[in-house]
Amino acid sequence: MVDVLVEDPGQKGGSVAERVRAPRSRIWTAAAIAAVPVLLIALQVGSIGHDFEGPLGSLWHDYVGTPKSMSLPWAGLILALVGIAKRRRIIAVGIAAGIDVVWAGIRLLSGESFAIGNGPTLVLTGLALVAGLRWSGVERRNALHAAALGALLVLATKVGDVWLHITIVSRPQVYDVYVALADHALGDPSWVMGRVVDALGPAVYAVLHWVYIELPVAAIVVAVWQLRRVVSTSVWPTHYLVRTFLVLGLIGPVIYVIFPVVGPMFGYGADGHGMQVGNFWPDFVPPIDRNPTVLSFDSFTPRNCMPSMHTAWALSVFLHTRRDTDGSRAPLWLRCLGAFWLAATLTATLGFGYHYGVDLVAGAVLCLTVESALRDPERGWGWFRVRLVLFGAVILGALLLSFRYLAVSMAEYPVLAGTVVLALLAAMAAAFHATWFAWAAVVEAEEIPVGAAR
């Protein structure tokens, strides 16, 4: 899938090495495209007998039934529109909106609940078909590239929904007792923020909840801004937010199965449906359990806390709102959007009891590691990149092992343990900044094009 995202449809000619690599790139792209339906079919088959909806069933509802999400199909279509001309964008949006109005009216007249999303799904599919069958040249390549991004965004969410069910089926026991002990080293931030959010009242809660569930909205705003010149220049940036989002979505959920955690509001709160350790969150910090064990849990709560993918994705939004794809400073409104979304997401993840503090640390390290592997591909894979990616992977592995096997010691020596955990995160952040942002600042100061530097 990554090759689909990095292929530059505006590139022509190039060096001999680039022309030699082109057929190989097309082979990988074709293989990635072929793997998508295979994966969807496999997950659909796997869902049979486990009482949850597979990705193909969910897609069918997006086309002719009631969409599971009303915003995601529109987000996918909006992302696909960056690859076509303005006039065609207006036509596509108009058709999608018209279909949604008709279908929503039919649902309401039938006594069903209000829902939209069929229109953009149908138009996105139609756009890909028209571009592939009737258009040609750069126009066709740009449209198909953008349509692929929009489709990948939708499909990745469908796969993610199924994966959450897989975490339940495959991991009946969770590590929340260990993670809660490790979280003592950070001062039990979920318990603190839970009480803070309660004190702030329903208005703040509503804003935080919207920000939390509509993270794709911020991502689409940033991605559309980054890709705003594609139609006019026929050149795609070498790196942009969608690539990071998708790669994070491939890697992060794998850790869910390795390190299953349900979160404070379930493991230590009233939402645990009788399987929680006790009703502690958010009013009472649980005592230190010096003989922790795994916790058997229910068959419907996803084990999706470690790492916090909302933190990883929100941090990636923040990073991509600092500078434009050419290395220049991003506008103030975009930088403010990225900072607000990150701060609000972190507050929500803790304040709603969805995550422990150590989940957020792991999510941040994962984001910085993945972003280091993807950012500025024109600089190549020198030692500067290899050591940073290895550093992040080692830190993430060390943190996970510590949360599992040193949890009691972390709870008994919170100042020392908390200092080490935060120091590791700070070291990764400092190395990331020095490698990517400080370097870009020097290039900008010397007025050297970012793409020409090595």
Side-chain angles (χ1 to χ4, degrees):
M1 293 182 184
V2 174
D3 291 287
V4 175
L5 303 180
V6 298
E7 182 186 3
D8 184 356
Q11 238 177 2
K12 294 182 179 179
S15 65
V16 174
E18 289 173 339
R19 290 195 297 270
V20 170
R21 286 196 298 267
R24 186 179 304 171
S25 175
R26 286 194 289 269
I27 292 174
W28 282 108
T29 299
I33 294 174
V36 172
V38 173
L39 175 62
L40 295 177
I41 293 172
L43 292 176
Q44 184 66 37
V45 172
S47 68
I48 299 173
H50 290 290
D51 196 29
F52 62 85
E53 186 179 54
L56 296 181
S58 183
L59 275 175
W60 177 253
H61 290 154
D62 284 356
Y63 280 108
V64 298
T66 301
K68 185 174 183 179
S69 170
M70 291 189 283
S71 60
L72 182 64
W74 276 102
L77 176 61
I78 291 171
L79 184 57
L81 296 181
V82 301
I84 62 177
K86 183 178 179 180
R87 177 175 173 273
R88 286 173 172 164
R89 292 174 188 170
I90 296 173
I91 295 173
V93 170
I95 295 174
I99 294 174
D100 261 0
V101 168
V102 172
W103 283 46
I106 293 174
R107 289 193 187 93
L108 292 176
L109 292 174
S110 302
E112 300 179 12
S113 59
F114 174 80
I116 59 174
N118 304 103
T121 302
L122 291 167
V123 171
L124 174 58
T125 305
L127 174 61
L129 291 174
V130 170
L133 297 176
R134 300 190 59 180
W135 299 350
S136 61
V138 173
E139 181 183 49
R140 177 178 180 270
R141 290 194 294 271
N142 283 338
L144 288 178
H145 192 153
L149 292 180
L152 279 175
L153 178 66
V154 174
L155 294 177
T157 303
K158 304 298 184 184
V159 172
D161 290 341
V162 175
W163 189 259
L164 294 182
H165 290 284
I166 292 176
T167 66
I168 300 171
V169 174
S170 63
R171 300 310 300 264
Q173 296 177 320
V174 297
Y175 295 164
D176 281 71
V177 176
Y178 297 93
V179 178
L181 284 171
D183 217 37
H184 283 308
L186 299 181
D188 305 289
S190 183
W191 273 257
V192 175
M193 291 306 301
R195 292 192 290 269
V196 170
V197 170
D198 284 345
L200 292 176
V204 173
Y205 180 93
V207 172
L208 293 176
H209 186 262
W210 185 83
V211 168
Y212 186 85
I213 64 175
E214 296 296 348
L215 178 59
V217 172
I220 290 301
V221 170
V222 176
V224 169
W225 179 80
Q226 289 180 315
L227 300 174
R228 65 195 183 280
R229 302 189 188 97
V230 165
V231 173
S232 60
T233 65
S234 296
V235 175
W236 288 75
T238 55
H239 180 52
Y240 44 94
L241 179 61
V242 179
R243 300 174 73 240
T244 303
F245 249 60
L246 292 175
V247 175
L248 282 172
L250 289 174
I251 297 175
V254 175
I255 305 177
Y256 293 166
V257 178
I258 299 172
F259 207 109
V261 181
V262 294
M265 69 177 293
F266 300 105
Y268 287 87
D271 291 285
H273 306 290
M275 306 194 76
Q276 68 269 30
V277 176
N279 293 332
F280 294 100
W281 188 87
D283 298 314
F284 307 101
V285 176
I288 296 177
D289 183 357
R290 289 176 171 80
N291 296 293
T293 60
V294 293
L295 179 66
S296 296
F297 219 72
D298 60 41
S299 59
F300 45 84
T301 302
R303 283 63 162 147
N304 63 337
C305 285
M306 180 65 74
S308 168
M309 291 308 298
H310 264 78
T311 297
W313 283 317
L315 180 57
S316 68
V317 169
F318 173 80
L319 294 174
H320 280 264
T321 56
R322 301 304 94 191
R323 291 183 176 275
D324 201 347
T325 53
D326 62 1
S328 60
R329 188 179 296 275
L332 179 61
W333 69 267
L334 191 68
R335 285 181 280 136
C336 290
L337 173 68
F340 165 75
W341 221 276
L342 176 60
T345 300
L346 297 181
T347 301
T349 56
L350 293 173
F352 295 164
Y354 295 155
H355 288 281
Y356 302 91
V358 291
D359 301 342
L360 274 62
V361 174
V365 172
L366 175 64
C367 172
L368 295 175
T369 304
V370 169
E371 185 66 25
S372 295
L374 300 176
R375 182 172 283 267
D376 292 349
E378 62 272 7
R379 293 178 64 185
W381 269 86
W383 177 239
F384 71 95
R385 189 190 303 272
V386 173
R387 67 188 177 192
L388 188 55
V389 173
L390 287 177
F391 185 48
V394 169
I395 289 178
L396 182 59
L399 289 174
L400 294 177
L401 290 173
S402 298
F403 301 157
R404 176 62 176 83
Y405 297 105
L406 299 177
V408 175
S409 298
M410 293 179 70
E412 291 178 337
Y413 303 97
V415 175
L416 175 60
T419 300
V420 172
V421 169
L422 295 179
L424 289 174
L425 175 59
M428 183 64 191
F432 181 90
H433 182 272
T435 302
W436 306 114
F437 285 93
W439 170 83
V442 171
V443 171
E444 184 180 23
E446 295 177 354
E447 297 183 348
I448 300 176
V450 173
R454 286 293 184 270

